[in-house]
Amino acid sequence: MHPQRARLHNELHARPSIYFEEPAHLHHYAFLDDDDIAADILGRVAEVVGRTPDIEAAQEILDLGDQTLKWERHTEFFTLTLLVPKPARGEPWPSPPPLLAEIAAEHSRALINASLILVEAEAAWGGDAEAYGFRDPAGSSVGDGDATVWSDFRLTAAGVNRLLLVNRGLNAFRLGRMTRRLLEIETYRMMASLALPVAKEMSLELRDHELELGELSERNTEDEEESSRPLLAAISALSARLERSGARSRQRFSATEAYARIVFNRIEELREERLGDRPRLGTFILRRFRPTVHYCAAINQRQESLAESVARLNDLLRTRAQVEIEAQNSEILQSLNERTSSQLKIQKAVEGLSIIVISYYLFSLFKLGLQSLDALGVAIEPSVAAAVLGPLGLGIIGLLAWRIQRVKNH
């Protein structure tokens, strides 16, 4: 069997919900899993349950007697959900149990979401959501009318978001799935919103980059006589800054898109219907959450478009620089041709002078030879000497010229 077959097959059963009967409280905390916070939290959990949880697992449901604790490990965050039965006369919004309170306080900087769901039976609920401390709550009938959900999405002084679920006809299985959807909506909504500060910071950077790109484009258009090298260096530096910025934000924006899709899907799975004149829960969330998602997507697209514009200008400048280099090479070749032509003319002049000098030297030698013969008593008439030396000198000169030309050709 393939070594990963069982694990891949068991993904069908991964991340089950906690199944329970109302009334109950669900305390839900989500932590950014930086610096391996999950391992530290599981260590604290191990002290309470008396055994070490399976850190390599994606999730685990632990039976704590009358309570149920579930932990889940995700790519970027770690969640703890504690189910606590609600006493008959218990308060609607209790403080978290000591274990969760201590963990939340110790890792408050990593805490990204804290939610508390109160699950009430329809018989125990008086029909007024504001009686539970909500101000202008949003509410929906969910699960084809088998439950209603209320919340005003305001954080308490302890930073907890409260939701009320009134059960009409959900069994334990459907109730667990419904509460899981509500908790996932809140957790993934907050995870998706992590990109908002990054997007706002990038918006200011992109504005400066766009102004710089505009200035470089104008310089490229107006200063055609200017060398392209300074422009090319400036545009290369701008491209490097954009690439660094994109590398820093690309993963965050991709995660936001993925988390947002989960939020939209979970809201659709609620199968909401309106309750009176109250805004629906999903409508309330989407009306305020969608602009965040769209803004982050717009900043991401703006960054990609700017990078493409910079790349086009960079290509244009490189083409211009290549043309300049080719023009310089042409000028260098022209200069070399002119220099070669001048050297050839000088060489021809030197060759002519060399022939004249050699001819003069030969005639001088012949003249000395004839004078020597006259001293020996052999008289030679000047006309005879001229008749002999003239053709001989011309032949020698011609031979020298032929030899020089032959050497040059070889």
Side-chain angles (χ1 to χ4, degrees), residues 17-20 26 117 119 141-149 165 167 170-185 266 269-271:
S17 302
I18 302 176
Y19 305 131
F20 63 97
L26 279 91
I117 297 181
V119 181
S141 173
V142 297
D144 295 329
D146 286 335
T148 59
V149 181
L165 187 148
N167 188 16
L170 298 176
N171 58 23
F173 179 78
R174 294 180 64 200
L175 185 59
R177 291 176 57 190
M178 184 62 67
T179 53
R180 178 183 177 87
R181 289 191 191 105
L182 293 173
L183 294 175
E184 286 182 342
I185 288 172
R266 296 297 182 269
E269 291 170 359
L270 293 177
R271 301 192 302 278

PDB file of all heavy atoms in Angstrom, residues 17-20 26 117 119 141-149 165 167 170-185 266 269-271:
ATOM      1  N   SER A  17     -16.895  18.042  13.633  1.00  0.00           N
ATOM      2  CA  SER A  17     -17.476  19.011  14.550  1.00  0.00           C
ATOM      3  C   SER A  17     -17.711  18.366  15.912  1.00  0.00           C
ATOM      4  O   SER A  17     -17.665  17.145  16.065  1.00  0.00           O
ATOM      5  CB  SER A  17     -18.805  19.531  13.988  1.00  0.00           C
ATOM      6  OG  SER A  17     -18.625  20.110  12.707  1.00  0.00           O
ATOM      7  N   ILE A  18     -17.952  19.222  16.903  1.00  0.00           N
ATOM      8  CA  ILE A  18     -18.347  18.745  18.231  1.00  0.00           C
ATOM      9  C   ILE A  18     -19.868  18.615  18.228  1.00  0.00           C
ATOM     10  O   ILE A  18     -20.572  19.598  17.990  1.00  0.00           O
ATOM     11  CB  ILE A  18     -17.893  19.719  19.337  1.00  0.00           C
ATOM     12  CG1 ILE A  18     -16.383  19.924  19.295  1.00  0.00           C
ATOM     13  CG2 ILE A  18     -18.324  19.222  20.704  1.00  0.00           C
ATOM     14  CD1 ILE A  18     -15.873  20.948  20.291  1.00  0.00           C
ATOM     15  N   TYR A  19     -20.374  17.434  18.479  1.00  0.00           N
ATOM     16  CA  TYR A  19     -21.810  17.210  18.468  1.00  0.00           C
ATOM     17  C   TYR A  19     -22.332  17.268  19.897  1.00  0.00           C
ATOM     18  O   TYR A  19     -21.782  16.625  20.803  1.00  0.00           O
ATOM     19  CB  TYR A  19     -22.124  15.856  17.830  1.00  0.00           C
ATOM     20  CG  TYR A  19     -21.519  15.713  16.452  1.00  0.00           C
ATOM     21  CD1 TYR A  19     -20.779  14.580  16.099  1.00  0.00           C
ATOM     22  CD2 TYR A  19     -21.669  16.724  15.513  1.00  0.00           C
ATOM     23  CE1 TYR A  19     -20.217  14.467  14.839  1.00  0.00           C
ATOM     24  CE2 TYR A  19     -21.113  16.620  14.253  1.00  0.00           C
ATOM     25  CZ  TYR A  19     -20.380  15.485  13.918  1.00  0.00           C
ATOM     26  OH  TYR A  19     -19.825  15.389  12.672  1.00  0.00           O
ATOM     27  N   PHE A  20     -23.416  18.030  20.119  1.00  0.00           N
ATOM     28  CA  PHE A  20     -23.913  18.252  21.480  1.00  0.00           C
ATOM     29  C   PHE A  20     -25.373  18.656  21.424  1.00  0.00           C
ATOM     30  O   PHE A  20     -25.931  18.949  20.367  1.00  0.00           O
ATOM     31  CB  PHE A  20     -23.089  19.348  22.162  1.00  0.00           C
ATOM     32  CG  PHE A  20     -23.207  20.696  21.490  1.00  0.00           C
ATOM     33  CD1 PHE A  20     -24.106  21.654  21.969  1.00  0.00           C
ATOM     34  CD2 PHE A  20     -22.443  21.011  20.376  1.00  0.00           C
ATOM     35  CE1 PHE A  20     -24.223  22.892  21.361  1.00  0.00           C
ATOM     36  CE2 PHE A  20     -22.561  22.253  19.754  1.00  0.00           C
ATOM     37  CZ  PHE A  20     -23.442  23.189  20.249  1.00  0.00           C
ATOM     38  N   LEU A  26     -19.978  27.723  23.723  1.00  0.00           N
ATOM     39  CA  LEU A  26     -18.784  27.351  22.972  1.00  0.00           C
ATOM     40  C   LEU A  26     -17.816  28.519  22.996  1.00  0.00           C
ATOM     41  O   LEU A  26     -18.089  29.585  22.415  1.00  0.00           O
ATOM     42  CB  LEU A  26     -19.117  26.985  21.520  1.00  0.00           C
ATOM     43  CG  LEU A  26     -19.645  25.568  21.299  1.00  0.00           C
ATOM     44  CD1 LEU A  26     -21.173  25.583  21.380  1.00  0.00           C
ATOM     45  CD2 LEU A  26     -19.218  25.031  19.948  1.00  0.00           C
ATOM     46  N   ILE A 117     -20.265  31.473  21.592  1.00  0.00           N
ATOM     47  CA  ILE A 117     -21.607  31.164  21.090  1.00  0.00           C
ATOM     48  C   ILE A 117     -22.437  30.614  22.250  1.00  0.00           C
ATOM     49  O   ILE A 117     -22.039  29.648  22.919  1.00  0.00           O
ATOM     50  CB  ILE A 117     -21.561  30.130  19.946  1.00  0.00           C
ATOM     51  CG1 ILE A 117     -20.795  30.684  18.747  1.00  0.00           C
ATOM     52  CG2 ILE A 117     -22.978  29.757  19.521  1.00  0.00           C
ATOM     53  CD1 ILE A 117     -20.724  29.722  17.568  1.00  0.00           C
ATOM     54  N   VAL A 119     -25.795  28.704  22.915  1.00  0.00           N
ATOM     55  CA  VAL A 119     -26.818  27.892  22.253  1.00  0.00           C
ATOM     56  C   VAL A 119     -27.966  27.707  23.244  1.00  0.00           C
ATOM     57  O   VAL A 119     -27.792  27.116  24.312  1.00  0.00           O
ATOM     58  CB  VAL A 119     -26.247  26.527  21.822  1.00  0.00           C
ATOM     59  CG1 VAL A 119     -27.328  25.707  21.114  1.00  0.00           C
ATOM     60  CG2 VAL A 119     -25.041  26.718  20.909  1.00  0.00           C
ATOM     61  N   SER A 141     -32.802  33.527  10.160  1.00  0.00           N
ATOM     62  CA  SER A 141     -33.278  32.163  10.312  1.00  0.00           C
ATOM     63  C   SER A 141     -32.380  31.291   9.449  1.00  0.00           C
ATOM     64  O   SER A 141     -32.192  31.571   8.260  1.00  0.00           O
ATOM     65  CB  SER A 141     -34.736  32.054   9.849  1.00  0.00           C
ATOM     66  OG  SER A 141     -35.154  30.699   9.841  1.00  0.00           O
ATOM     67  N   VAL A 142     -31.788  30.250  10.034  1.00  0.00           N
ATOM     68  CA  VAL A 142     -30.800  29.437   9.322  1.00  0.00           C
ATOM     69  C   VAL A 142     -31.220  27.968   9.362  1.00  0.00           C
ATOM     70  O   VAL A 142     -32.112  27.580  10.126  1.00  0.00           O
ATOM     71  CB  VAL A 142     -29.392  29.592   9.935  1.00  0.00           C
ATOM     72  CG1 VAL A 142     -28.898  31.032   9.804  1.00  0.00           C
ATOM     73  CG2 VAL A 142     -29.383  29.148  11.392  1.00  0.00           C
ATOM     74  N   GLY A 143     -30.543  27.169   8.512  1.00  0.00           N
ATOM     75  CA  GLY A 143     -30.834  25.740   8.487  1.00  0.00           C
ATOM     76  C   GLY A 143     -32.257  25.442   8.086  1.00  0.00           C
ATOM     77  O   GLY A 143     -32.905  24.583   8.691  1.00  0.00           O
ATOM     78  N   ASP A 144     -32.762  26.163   7.070  1.00  0.00           N
ATOM     79  CA  ASP A 144     -34.149  25.972   6.601  1.00  0.00           C
ATOM     80  C   ASP A 144     -35.156  26.213   7.714  1.00  0.00           C
ATOM     81  O   ASP A 144     -36.174  25.509   7.837  1.00  0.00           O
ATOM     82  CB  ASP A 144     -34.340  24.558   6.026  1.00  0.00           C
ATOM     83  CG  ASP A 144     -33.505  24.344   4.767  1.00  0.00           C
ATOM     84  OD1 ASP A 144     -33.287  25.319   4.026  1.00  0.00           O
ATOM     85  OD2 ASP A 144     -33.070  23.195   4.540  1.00  0.00           O
ATOM     86  N   GLY A 145     -34.846  27.217   8.560  1.00  0.00           N
ATOM     87  CA  GLY A 145     -35.779  27.599   9.609  1.00  0.00           C
ATOM     88  C   GLY A 145     -35.667  26.813  10.885  1.00  0.00           C
ATOM     89  O   GLY A 145     -36.473  27.016  11.812  1.00  0.00           O
ATOM     90  N   ASP A 146     -34.671  25.927  11.014  1.00  0.00           N
ATOM     91  CA  ASP A 146     -34.553  25.108  12.214  1.00  0.00           C
ATOM     92  C   ASP A 146     -33.770  25.801  13.326  1.00  0.00           C
ATOM     93  O   ASP A 146     -33.584  25.225  14.406  1.00  0.00           O
ATOM     94  CB  ASP A 146     -33.870  23.777  11.883  1.00  0.00           C
ATOM     95  CG  ASP A 146     -34.803  22.845  11.125  1.00  0.00           C
ATOM     96  OD1 ASP A 146     -36.032  22.995  11.269  1.00  0.00           O
ATOM     97  OD2 ASP A 146     -34.304  21.990  10.375  1.00  0.00           O
ATOM     98  N   ALA A 147     -33.274  27.015  13.096  1.00  0.00           N
ATOM     99  CA  ALA A 147     -32.560  27.761  14.135  1.00  0.00           C
ATOM    100  C   ALA A 147     -32.522  29.229  13.733  1.00  0.00           C
ATOM    101  O   ALA A 147     -32.740  29.578  12.572  1.00  0.00           O
ATOM    102  CB  ALA A 147     -31.140  27.218  14.326  1.00  0.00           C
ATOM    103  N   THR A 148     -32.268  30.082  14.716  1.00  0.00           N
ATOM    104  CA  THR A 148     -32.031  31.501  14.453  1.00  0.00           C
ATOM    105  C   THR A 148     -30.709  31.894  15.091  1.00  0.00           C
ATOM    106  O   THR A 148     -30.316  31.347  16.119  1.00  0.00           O
ATOM    107  CB  THR A 148     -33.165  32.382  15.017  1.00  0.00           C
ATOM    108  OG1 THR A 148     -33.263  32.173  16.431  1.00  0.00           O
ATOM    109  CG2 THR A 148     -34.497  32.050  14.365  1.00  0.00           C
ATOM    110  N   VAL A 149     -30.042  32.839  14.462  1.00  0.00           N
ATOM    111  CA  VAL A 149     -28.736  33.302  14.934  1.00  0.00           C
ATOM    112  C   VAL A 149     -28.783  34.809  15.056  1.00  0.00           C
ATOM    113  O   VAL A 149     -29.282  35.505  14.155  1.00  0.00           O
ATOM    114  CB  VAL A 149     -27.604  32.876  13.974  1.00  0.00           C
ATOM    115  CG1 VAL A 149     -26.254  33.347  14.508  1.00  0.00           C
ATOM    116  CG2 VAL A 149     -27.584  31.366  13.793  1.00  0.00           C
ATOM    117  N   LEU A 165     -27.368  31.468  19.319  1.00  0.00           N
ATOM    118  CA  LEU A 165     -28.049  30.535  18.426  1.00  0.00           C
ATOM    119  C   LEU A 165     -29.219  29.926  19.180  1.00  0.00           C
ATOM    120  O   LEU A 165     -29.026  29.298  20.238  1.00  0.00           O
ATOM    121  CB  LEU A 165     -27.101  29.443  17.936  1.00  0.00           C
ATOM    122  CG  LEU A 165     -27.653  28.505  16.856  1.00  0.00           C
ATOM    123  CD1 LEU A 165     -26.540  28.040  15.925  1.00  0.00           C
ATOM    124  CD2 LEU A 165     -28.341  27.269  17.460  1.00  0.00           C
ATOM    125  N   ASN A 167     -31.995  27.192  19.040  1.00  0.00           N
ATOM    126  CA  ASN A 167     -32.268  25.938  18.327  1.00  0.00           C
ATOM    127  C   ASN A 167     -33.760  25.634  18.319  1.00  0.00           C
ATOM    128  O   ASN A 167     -34.410  25.609  19.363  1.00  0.00           O
ATOM    129  CB  ASN A 167     -31.495  24.792  18.986  1.00  0.00           C
ATOM    130  CG  ASN A 167     -31.589  23.507  18.174  1.00  0.00           C
ATOM    131  OD1 ASN A 167     -31.973  23.517  17.006  1.00  0.00           O
ATOM    132  ND2 ASN A 167     -31.232  22.403  18.806  1.00  0.00           N
ATOM    133  N   LEU A 170     -32.738  21.478  15.243  1.00  0.00           N
ATOM    134  CA  LEU A 170     -31.467  20.876  14.847  1.00  0.00           C
ATOM    135  C   LEU A 170     -31.114  19.749  15.802  1.00  0.00           C
ATOM    136  O   LEU A 170     -31.150  19.933  17.021  1.00  0.00           O
ATOM    137  CB  LEU A 170     -30.346  21.922  14.855  1.00  0.00           C
ATOM    138  CG  LEU A 170     -30.484  23.109  13.903  1.00  0.00           C
ATOM    139  CD1 LEU A 170     -29.327  24.082  14.112  1.00  0.00           C
ATOM    140  CD2 LEU A 170     -30.521  22.662  12.444  1.00  0.00           C
ATOM    141  N   ASN A 171     -30.759  18.581  15.247  1.00  0.00           N
ATOM    142  CA  ASN A 171     -30.261  17.523  16.111  1.00  0.00           C
ATOM    143  C   ASN A 171     -28.808  17.793  16.464  1.00  0.00           C
ATOM    144  O   ASN A 171     -28.217  18.782  16.027  1.00  0.00           O
ATOM    145  CB  ASN A 171     -30.435  16.152  15.444  1.00  0.00           C
ATOM    146  CG  ASN A 171     -29.723  16.065  14.104  1.00  0.00           C
ATOM    147  OD1 ASN A 171     -28.786  16.815  13.840  1.00  0.00           O
ATOM    148  ND2 ASN A 171     -30.179  15.149  13.259  1.00  0.00           N
ATOM    149  N   ALA A 172     -28.200  16.913  17.253  1.00  0.00           N
ATOM    150  CA  ALA A 172     -26.831  17.142  17.727  1.00  0.00           C
ATOM    151  C   ALA A 172     -25.850  17.257  16.569  1.00  0.00           C
ATOM    152  O   ALA A 172     -24.929  18.084  16.598  1.00  0.00           O
ATOM    153  CB  ALA A 172     -26.414  16.001  18.672  1.00  0.00           C
ATOM    154  N   PHE A 173     -26.050  16.435  15.522  1.00  0.00           N
ATOM    155  CA  PHE A 173     -25.147  16.458  14.375  1.00  0.00           C
ATOM    156  C   PHE A 173     -25.229  17.791  13.640  1.00  0.00           C
ATOM    157  O   PHE A 173     -24.216  18.433  13.378  1.00  0.00           O
ATOM    158  CB  PHE A 173     -25.506  15.297  13.446  1.00  0.00           C
ATOM    159  CG  PHE A 173     -24.660  15.233  12.214  1.00  0.00           C
ATOM    160  CD1 PHE A 173     -23.370  14.715  12.249  1.00  0.00           C
ATOM    161  CD2 PHE A 173     -25.147  15.692  10.987  1.00  0.00           C
ATOM    162  CE1 PHE A 173     -22.590  14.650  11.106  1.00  0.00           C
ATOM    163  CE2 PHE A 173     -24.375  15.641   9.850  1.00  0.00           C
ATOM    164  CZ  PHE A 173     -23.094  15.115   9.909  1.00  0.00           C
ATOM    165  N   ARG A 174     -26.438  18.227  13.326  1.00  0.00           N
ATOM    166  CA  ARG A 174     -26.621  19.487  12.594  1.00  0.00           C
ATOM    167  C   ARG A 174     -26.253  20.689  13.456  1.00  0.00           C
ATOM    168  O   ARG A 174     -25.737  21.694  12.954  1.00  0.00           O
ATOM    169  CB  ARG A 174     -28.057  19.603  12.101  1.00  0.00           C
ATOM    170  CG  ARG A 174     -28.449  18.564  11.058  1.00  0.00           C
ATOM    171  CD  ARG A 174     -29.885  18.771  10.636  1.00  0.00           C
ATOM    172  NE  ARG A 174     -30.067  20.058   9.983  1.00  0.00           N
ATOM    173  CZ  ARG A 174     -31.252  20.663   9.852  1.00  0.00           C
ATOM    174  NH1 ARG A 174     -32.347  20.121  10.373  1.00  0.00           N
ATOM    175  NH2 ARG A 174     -31.328  21.822   9.227  1.00  0.00           N
ATOM    176  N   LEU A 175     -26.498  20.583  14.756  1.00  0.00           N
ATOM    177  CA  LEU A 175     -26.157  21.694  15.649  1.00  0.00           C
ATOM    178  C   LEU A 175     -24.643  21.881  15.709  1.00  0.00           C
ATOM    179  O   LEU A 175     -24.146  23.011  15.695  1.00  0.00           O
ATOM    180  CB  LEU A 175     -26.719  21.419  17.044  1.00  0.00           C
ATOM    181  CG  LEU A 175     -26.548  22.531  18.085  1.00  0.00           C
ATOM    182  CD1 LEU A 175     -27.214  23.813  17.612  1.00  0.00           C
ATOM    183  CD2 LEU A 175     -27.131  22.085  19.426  1.00  0.00           C
ATOM    184  N   GLY A 176     -23.906  20.765  15.769  1.00  0.00           N
ATOM    185  CA  GLY A 176     -22.449  20.873  15.767  1.00  0.00           C
ATOM    186  C   GLY A 176     -21.929  21.488  14.484  1.00  0.00           C
ATOM    187  O   GLY A 176     -21.013  22.320  14.502  1.00  0.00           O
ATOM    188  N   ARG A 177     -22.501  21.089  13.356  1.00  0.00           N
ATOM    189  CA  ARG A 177     -22.067  21.653  12.077  1.00  0.00           C
ATOM    190  C   ARG A 177     -22.432  23.127  11.961  1.00  0.00           C
ATOM    191  O   ARG A 177     -21.659  23.923  11.419  1.00  0.00           O
ATOM    192  CB  ARG A 177     -22.687  20.862  10.928  1.00  0.00           C
ATOM    193  CG  ARG A 177     -22.141  19.446  10.793  1.00  0.00           C
ATOM    194  CD  ARG A 177     -22.855  18.695   9.701  1.00  0.00           C
ATOM    195  NE  ARG A 177     -22.749  19.390   8.420  1.00  0.00           N
ATOM    196  CZ  ARG A 177     -23.449  19.043   7.339  1.00  0.00           C
ATOM    197  NH1 ARG A 177     -24.316  18.047   7.401  1.00  0.00           N
ATOM    198  NH2 ARG A 177     -23.286  19.699   6.217  1.00  0.00           N
ATOM    199  N   MET A 178     -23.609  23.507  12.463  1.00  0.00           N
ATOM    200  CA  MET A 178     -24.032  24.907  12.356  1.00  0.00           C
ATOM    201  C   MET A 178     -23.131  25.812  13.188  1.00  0.00           C
ATOM    202  O   MET A 178     -22.701  26.891  12.730  1.00  0.00           O
ATOM    203  CB  MET A 178     -25.484  25.044  12.806  1.00  0.00           C
ATOM    204  CG  MET A 178     -26.055  26.453  12.633  1.00  0.00           C
ATOM    205  SD  MET A 178     -26.094  26.984  10.899  1.00  0.00           S
ATOM    206  CE  MET A 178     -27.340  25.850  10.247  1.00  0.00           C
ATOM    207  N   THR A 179     -22.826  25.418  14.413  1.00  0.00           N
ATOM    208  CA  THR A 179     -21.950  26.243  15.255  1.00  0.00           C
ATOM    209  C   THR A 179     -20.534  26.293  14.659  1.00  0.00           C
ATOM    210  O   THR A 179     -19.864  27.325  14.752  1.00  0.00           O
ATOM    211  CB  THR A 179     -21.897  25.696  16.683  1.00  0.00           C
ATOM    212  OG1 THR A 179     -21.540  24.306  16.663  1.00  0.00           O
ATOM    213  CG2 THR A 179     -23.248  25.859  17.368  1.00  0.00           C
ATOM    214  N   ARG A 180     -20.111  25.191  14.049  1.00  0.00           N
ATOM    215  CA  ARG A 180     -18.793  25.185  13.405  1.00  0.00           C
ATOM    216  C   ARG A 180     -18.746  26.199  12.261  1.00  0.00           C
ATOM    217  O   ARG A 180     -17.763  26.927  12.096  1.00  0.00           O
ATOM    218  CB  ARG A 180     -18.465  23.784  12.895  1.00  0.00           C
ATOM    219  CG  ARG A 180     -17.124  23.705  12.176  1.00  0.00           C
ATOM    220  CD  ARG A 180     -16.876  22.305  11.632  1.00  0.00           C
ATOM    221  NE  ARG A 180     -15.624  22.276  10.880  1.00  0.00           N
ATOM    222  CZ  ARG A 180     -14.440  22.058  11.415  1.00  0.00           C
ATOM    223  NH1 ARG A 180     -14.335  21.866  12.712  1.00  0.00           N
ATOM    224  NH2 ARG A 180     -13.353  22.044  10.675  1.00  0.00           N
ATOM    225  N   ARG A 181     -19.810  26.256  11.476  1.00  0.00           N
ATOM    226  CA  ARG A 181     -19.842  27.236  10.381  1.00  0.00           C
ATOM    227  C   ARG A 181     -19.733  28.659  10.912  1.00  0.00           C
ATOM    228  O   ARG A 181     -19.003  29.493  10.361  1.00  0.00           O
ATOM    229  CB  ARG A 181     -21.143  27.083   9.589  1.00  0.00           C
ATOM    230  CG  ARG A 181     -21.229  25.815   8.747  1.00  0.00           C
ATOM    231  CD  ARG A 181     -22.421  25.887   7.818  1.00  0.00           C
ATOM    232  NE  ARG A 181     -22.673  24.601   7.184  1.00  0.00           N
ATOM    233  CZ  ARG A 181     -23.656  23.772   7.507  1.00  0.00           C
ATOM    234  NH1 ARG A 181     -24.512  24.108   8.474  1.00  0.00           N
ATOM    235  NH2 ARG A 181     -23.807  22.628   6.877  1.00  0.00           N
ATOM    236  N   LEU A 182     -20.478  28.932  11.975  1.00  0.00           N
ATOM    237  CA  LEU A 182     -20.445  30.291  12.524  1.00  0.00           C
ATOM    238  C   LEU A 182     -19.049  30.646  13.026  1.00  0.00           C
ATOM    239  O   LEU A 182     -18.560  31.768  12.806  1.00  0.00           O
ATOM    240  CB  LEU A 182     -21.461  30.391  13.665  1.00  0.00           C
ATOM    241  CG  LEU A 182     -22.934  30.263  13.264  1.00  0.00           C
ATOM    242  CD1 LEU A 182     -23.815  30.199  14.502  1.00  0.00           C
ATOM    243  CD2 LEU A 182     -23.355  31.415  12.354  1.00  0.00           C
ATOM    244  N   LEU A 183     -18.392  29.703  13.708  1.00  0.00           N
ATOM    245  CA  LEU A 183     -17.044  29.965  14.200  1.00  0.00           C
ATOM    246  C   LEU A 183     -16.052  30.110  13.049  1.00  0.00           C
ATOM    247  O   LEU A 183     -15.148  30.953  13.099  1.00  0.00           O
ATOM    248  CB  LEU A 183     -16.605  28.842  15.138  1.00  0.00           C
ATOM    249  CG  LEU A 183     -17.386  28.732  16.451  1.00  0.00           C
ATOM    250  CD1 LEU A 183     -16.935  27.505  17.237  1.00  0.00           C
ATOM    251  CD2 LEU A 183     -17.228  30.001  17.285  1.00  0.00           C
ATOM    252  N   GLU A 184     -16.212  29.312  12.005  1.00  0.00           N
ATOM    253  CA  GLU A 184     -15.318  29.428  10.852  1.00  0.00           C
ATOM    254  C   GLU A 184     -15.506  30.757  10.139  1.00  0.00           C
ATOM    255  O   GLU A 184     -14.529  31.357   9.663  1.00  0.00           O
ATOM    256  CB  GLU A 184     -15.562  28.273   9.885  1.00  0.00           C
ATOM    257  CG  GLU A 184     -15.004  26.946  10.375  1.00  0.00           C
ATOM    258  CD  GLU A 184     -15.228  25.835   9.367  1.00  0.00           C
ATOM    259  OE1 GLU A 184     -16.088  26.004   8.477  1.00  0.00           O
ATOM    260  OE2 GLU A 184     -14.550  24.798   9.464  1.00  0.00           O
ATOM    261  N   ILE A 185     -16.734  31.222  10.053  1.00  0.00           N
ATOM    262  CA  ILE A 185     -16.971  32.526   9.420  1.00  0.00           C
ATOM    263  C   ILE A 185     -16.191  33.616  10.140  1.00  0.00           C
ATOM    264  O   ILE A 185     -15.512  34.443   9.509  1.00  0.00           O
ATOM    265  CB  ILE A 185     -18.485  32.848   9.405  1.00  0.00           C
ATOM    266  CG1 ILE A 185     -19.207  31.966   8.387  1.00  0.00           C
ATOM    267  CG2 ILE A 185     -18.717  34.327   9.077  1.00  0.00           C
ATOM    268  CD1 ILE A 185     -20.715  32.081   8.442  1.00  0.00           C
ATOM    269  N   ARG A 266     -19.266  29.497   3.544  1.00  0.00           N
ATOM    270  CA  ARG A 266     -19.922  29.184   4.813  1.00  0.00           C
ATOM    271  C   ARG A 266     -21.201  30.003   4.998  1.00  0.00           C
ATOM    272  O   ARG A 266     -22.187  29.514   5.556  1.00  0.00           O
ATOM    273  CB  ARG A 266     -18.966  29.436   5.985  1.00  0.00           C
ATOM    274  CG  ARG A 266     -17.746  28.538   6.004  1.00  0.00           C
ATOM    275  CD  ARG A 266     -18.128  27.081   6.182  1.00  0.00           C
ATOM    276  NE  ARG A 266     -16.952  26.238   6.251  1.00  0.00           N
ATOM    277  CZ  ARG A 266     -16.365  25.660   5.204  1.00  0.00           C
ATOM    278  NH1 ARG A 266     -16.887  25.820   3.984  1.00  0.00           N
ATOM    279  NH2 ARG A 266     -15.295  24.904   5.352  1.00  0.00           N
ATOM    280  N   GLU A 269     -23.862  28.334   3.062  1.00  0.00           N
ATOM    281  CA  GLU A 269     -24.306  27.095   3.693  1.00  0.00           C
ATOM    282  C   GLU A 269     -25.259  27.337   4.865  1.00  0.00           C
ATOM    283  O   GLU A 269     -25.942  26.399   5.301  1.00  0.00           O
ATOM    284  CB  GLU A 269     -23.089  26.306   4.178  1.00  0.00           C
ATOM    285  CG  GLU A 269     -22.237  25.754   3.042  1.00  0.00           C
ATOM    286  CD  GLU A 269     -20.917  25.178   3.547  1.00  0.00           C
ATOM    287  OE1 GLU A 269     -20.681  25.229   4.780  1.00  0.00           O
ATOM    288  OE2 GLU A 269     -20.122  24.694   2.721  1.00  0.00           O
ATOM    289  N   LEU A 270     -25.322  28.571   5.361  1.00  0.00           N
ATOM    290  CA  LEU A 270     -26.274  28.866   6.437  1.00  0.00           C
ATOM    291  C   LEU A 270     -27.719  28.788   5.952  1.00  0.00           C
ATOM    292  O   LEU A 270     -28.627  28.567   6.749  1.00  0.00           O
ATOM    293  CB  LEU A 270     -26.007  30.262   7.026  1.00  0.00           C
ATOM    294  CG  LEU A 270     -24.698  30.466   7.795  1.00  0.00           C
ATOM    295  CD1 LEU A 270     -24.566  31.906   8.247  1.00  0.00           C
ATOM    296  CD2 LEU A 270     -24.616  29.525   8.999  1.00  0.00           C
ATOM    297  N   ARG A 271     -27.934  29.045   4.656  1.00  0.00           N
ATOM    298  CA  ARG A 271     -29.287  29.055   4.062  1.00  0.00           C
ATOM    299  C   ARG A 271     -30.187  30.007   4.864  1.00  0.00           C
ATOM    300  O   ARG A 271     -31.189  29.621   5.465  1.00  0.00           O
ATOM    301  CB  ARG A 271     -29.873  27.640   4.006  1.00  0.00           C
ATOM    302  CG  ARG A 271     -29.024  26.684   3.199  1.00  0.00           C
ATOM    303  CD  ARG A 271     -29.746  25.375   2.912  1.00  0.00           C
ATOM    304  NE  ARG A 271     -30.167  24.690   4.121  1.00  0.00           N
ATOM    305  CZ  ARG A 271     -29.379  23.911   4.870  1.00  0.00           C
ATOM    306  NH1 ARG A 271     -28.100  23.753   4.525  1.00  0.00           N
ATOM    307  NH2 ARG A 271     -29.831  23.299   5.938  1.00  0.00           N
TER     308      ARG A 271
END
